[in-house]
Amino acid sequence: MKKILLTFFILFFTICFSQENDILGRLSSLNNNGKIWYNIDGYSVTSEDFNNVYDEKGLKKVLKKHQISDSDIKTKDEQITRNNLFVSKQQKISENNFQTNNYYFVENNNKKITVIWFIKTGKTDKDTEKKLVNLIIENKIPAENFVPMKINSINFAGRNIELGNNCYWTFLNTVQCPYLGEMNWSIHKTLEDAKEAIENQLNITKSQKGGKVISEEMVNVEFESVETRAKKVVYDFTGMTSALAGISGGKSLTIYYVAENVRNRNVSCVMSFWNNDQINPETKLSPLLEKLMKLK
């Protein structure tokens, strides 16, 4: 009997560790002055501690800060290891796209409130959300999952890519390299989810005012040494009033949307460059994009 119980506990903890490790393999984190950002499965996630006691009075103040009204439905999630309130809200961001905002108001070790806020366009995954909430509230996110604020290189799906001193985060997993290109990416549980993520980004791009899509085509590429297909879109700002075009000084933006399995990781990636960026006439790509992709 003791042998059976021992085998059961070994199996149980092996499964739990495997599930936890699977999430950590897809997770990027960034600590920005006490507010922590996370990227996983196309989610943008923030975690922030508040100096309010986890009680009715404290919760009321923090809920109000996040524009949660009395009429919004609040539930307790029994799979979260601490006292909590869960609130879900949706907002329309384009004709066919909705953004889901899932909030977890959790009692932390100091008996105060930690707010973990998940934002995603498209399908959400409550199982992943709950597992990540538990890892965050129990301080189980390893140091190696955190990226530095200043970047000379990035870990892109398991490969280190040197960037130099010119690049910076505009958002977690979104890198801007002036006149060299820009990219954003996420690692997903499934390839289907990665494909949905780039489709959602494309639809949102098309819905933006201040510019227009002048061409859209599928092209053959080699992305991180994997032969695949990418959606190429040219977005034109000629004659348009746009803050984005005004900052860059460019007139058109070329964007590549790719979803592929790379080094056993399901990656969604959107890469772009302006017409006035440095573009290699042989590769027809900017320096940043050349580090990831070749046109076939």
Side-chain angles (χ1 to χ4, degrees):
M1 184 65 180
K2 287 182 180 178
K3 202 170 185 179
I4 294 171
L5 285 172
L6 180 60
T7 303
F8 170 77
F9 282 118
I10 290 172
L11 181 62
F12 175 77
F13 285 116
T14 300
I15 291 169
C16 289
F17 176 78
S18 176
Q19 291 175 340
E20 182 176 298
N21 198 46
D22 182 47
I23 286 181
L24 295 176
R26 308 195 308 272
L27 183 70
S28 297
S29 312
L30 174 67
N31 194 332
N32 185 9
N33 297 319
K35 190 172 187 176
I36 304 177
W37 297 82
Y38 303 91
N39 183 288
I40 185 172
D41 297 349
Y43 277 102
S44 173
V45 188
T46 58
S47 170
E48 187 174 7
D49 293 334
F50 288 84
N51 199 32
N52 301 80
V53 176
Y54 189 92
D55 59 16
E56 186 176 347
K57 182 179 178 182
L59 282 167
K60 188 173 183 179
K61 289 182 178 179
V62 176
L63 288 166
K64 187 176 181 181
K65 285 180 182 178
H66 289 81
Q67 299 180 322
I68 308 297
S69 66
D70 292 340
S71 61
D72 288 319
I73 297 172
K74 306 166 190 70
T75 58
K76 180 176 181 179
D77 195 311
E78 298 297 338
Q79 291 184 303
I80 305 300
T81 58
R82 308 290 175 84
N83 284 335
N84 69 89
L85 281 181
F86 169 73
V87 179
S88 183
K89 301 183 76 171
Q90 272 198 341
Q91 63 186 94
K92 189 174 183 178
I93 55 175
S94 70
E95 186 62 32
N96 298 309
N97 287 94
F98 289 84
Q99 176 180 293
T100 300
N101 299 273
N102 285 340
Y103 302 86
Y104 295 82
F105 299 86
V106 188
E107 182 177 19
N108 59 35
N109 289 332
N110 299 318
K111 305 296 182 185
K112 295 186 178 178
I113 300 170
T114 295
V115 179
I116 303 169
W117 179 6
F118 291 79
I119 303 171
K120 190 175 183 182
T121 304
K123 296 175 187 174
T124 59
D125 181 354
K126 289 293 295 297
D127 186 53
T128 294
E129 290 180 20
K130 294 170 190 178
K131 288 174 183 174
L132 184 55
V133 168
N134 284 332
L135 287 172
I136 293 170
I137 206 69
E138 294 168 9
N139 296 315
K140 288 186 176 179
I141 308 295
E144 54 263 33
N145 281 85
F146 283 83
V147 299
M149 182 65 75
K150 292 184 179 180
I151 49 172
N152 295 313
S153 65
I154 56 171
N155 182 330
F156 182 79
R159 180 171 78 93
N160 192 66
I161 298 177
E162 294 294 329
L163 298 176
N165 299 316
N166 234 10
C167 304
Y168 53 88
W169 300 116
T170 56
F171 208 68
L172 178 56
N173 280 25
T174 301
V175 172
Q176 172 75 56
C177 302
Y179 299 103
L180 304 177
E182 182 175 0
M183 61 181 285
N184 71 74
W185 77 96
S186 193
I187 300 176
H188 300 255
K189 184 188 290 186
T190 66
L191 186 56
E192 289 71 23
D193 192 56
K195 290 178 178 178
E196 182 189 341
I198 62 167
E199 192 64 30
N200 287 333
Q201 283 206 53
L202 174 58
N203 290 336
I204 291 168
T205 299
K206 289 179 177 179
S207 71
Q208 296 299 307
K209 296 179 180 179
K212 61 181 180 179
V213 173
I214 58 171
S215 71
E216 179 180 338
E217 61 179 325
M218 295 299 297
V219 295
N220 295 318
V221 302
E222 185 180 297
F223 176 69
E224 287 292 276
S225 301
V226 178
E227 292 195 4
T228 187
R229 302 266 285 168
K231 175 68 69 72
K232 178 186 176 183
V233 171
V234 178
Y235 201 71
D236 186 56
F237 292 90
T238 304
M240 304 286 182
T241 302
S242 169
L244 185 62
I247 292 169
S248 74
K251 295 296 183 183
S252 68
L253 187 67
T254 300
I255 314 169
Y256 290 91
Y257 299 83
V258 184
E260 189 52 78
N261 184 275
V262 174
R263 295 180 287 275
N264 294 319
R265 297 167 174 86
N266 300 305
V267 180
S268 65
C269 186
V270 178
M271 300 160 284
S272 63
F273 58 84
W274 290 93
N275 63 294
N276 61 341
D277 283 351
Q278 296 177 29
I279 302 170
N280 186 328
E282 293 184 5
T283 67
K284 299 180 182 179
L285 297 172
S286 68
L288 177 61
L289 274 66
E290 285 181 319
K291 294 178 183 291
L292 300 164
M293 186 175 73
K294 296 177 184 176
L295 299 178
K296 302 296 286 183

